[in-house]
Amino acid sequence: MLDPIQKFNLWWQQAQADSPLQQKSAVCVSTVDKDGMPDGRFVDLKAVESRGFIFCTHLDAPKSVAIQHNPNTAMTIWWDHLGYQVRVNGIAQLVEDELANTYWQSRSRDAQISTLALQQSAEMVDEQSMFDQVNHLTRELGNAIIPRPANWGGYCIHPAKIEFLTFKTSRLHLRELYVRQGEGWRYQLLQP
């Protein structure tokens, strides 16, 4: 039996290689806010390693505020072209600054500038004001290296459960559940 992190990485490699999607690493991350309301949104999955699933974001965005209040987080992926679904439940924790810096530097310059110029999820007067802010900052920065701002970082979802579903047209889907037990995993099959 494969370790679920290894299994996920094999599926992810296969999904990216054969993907018709433009956003090949998009995953849905769901959090629960201070009022108990769930909220899901797509983010770019950066890496999956032994400790968990890593994504980056503004640290003052609603998802980050929700994680600070309640770190219980879920992630869902559906690769329709392969008939694979993965569901992850776990605890989200900030990644270390060094790793956040690495991911920041791997972002495109346009993504770095938009992060600095805009406040994710804040109200906007109109679309033109957004373009004006970005254009102003682009001119102001010139070719300077852009350091990671304090309000941008990453989270790692440390999984407690990972479920793999292989879709079958018969609706007799193969569902494989891995539940964290200490340093290992308990494996079980679930009915579709």
Side-chain angles (χ1 to χ4, degrees):
M1 176 180 66
L2 271 181
D3 173 272
I5 299 297
Q6 292 172 330
K7 182 178 179 91
F8 180 89
N9 278 317
L10 287 173
W11 277 25
W12 192 18
Q13 288 170 359
Q14 185 181 359
Q16 289 179 317
D18 298 332
S19 180
L21 302 173
Q22 288 192 16
Q23 304 301 322
K24 293 176 176 35
S25 294
V27 300
C28 181
V29 169
S30 300
T31 56
V32 177
D33 71 15
K34 65 178 175 33
D35 299 320
M37 289 300 294
D39 195 7
R41 79 287 288 156
F42 284 90
V43 300
D44 183 37
L45 183 63
K46 296 294 187 186
V48 180
E49 52 188 46
S50 60
R51 65 178 168 163
F53 300 77
I54 298 171
F55 67 94
C56 294
T57 187
H58 286 84
L59 298 180
D60 48 9
K63 67 179 124 357
S64 297
V65 173
I67 289 170
Q68 291 164 23
H69 172 75
N70 180 352
N72 295 320
T73 305
M75 184 182 78
T76 309
I77 305 106
W78 170 241
W79 291 307
D80 185 63
H81 61 292
L82 298 174
Y84 290 167
Q85 173 184 270
V86 182
R87 297 171 56 209
V88 176
N89 292 56
I91 303 294
Q93 294 179 325
L94 279 172
V95 300
E96 56 278 5
D97 285 340
E98 183 179 315
L99 185 58
N101 288 337
T102 298
Y103 286 124
W104 173 260
Q105 292 305 323
S106 73
R107 300 184 90 206
S108 71
R109 186 168 187 80
D110 288 344
Q112 290 177 343
I113 289 171
S114 69
T115 298
L116 288 177
L118 306 169
Q119 184 180 351
Q120 190 176 68
S121 300
E123 282 190 39
M124 185 170 67
V125 176
D126 58 37
E127 195 174 15
Q128 187 57 50
S129 66
M130 173 181 65
F131 294 126
D132 292 345
Q133 286 174 266
V134 169
N135 289 334
H136 171 75
L137 188 58
T138 300
R139 286 189 304 275
E140 187 177 294
L141 289 170
N143 292 323
I145 292 175
I146 304 171
R148 179 177 65 89
N151 71 337
W152 192 92
Y155 287 97
C156 179
I157 301 173
H158 301 271
K161 295 192 302 187
I162 305 173
E163 181 189 322
F164 296 88
L165 179 142
T166 304
F167 180 81
K168 307 285 186 184
T169 55
S170 66
R171 307 298 291 178
L172 299 176
H173 313 311
L174 174 62
R175 292 178 63 196
E176 301 171 277
L177 178 65
Y178 294 80
V179 178
R180 174 73 73 185
Q181 287 191 323
E183 295 299 311
W185 295 92
R186 180 172 50 87
Y187 174 84
Q188 67 186 76
L189 294 174
L190 302 175
Q191 294 189 29

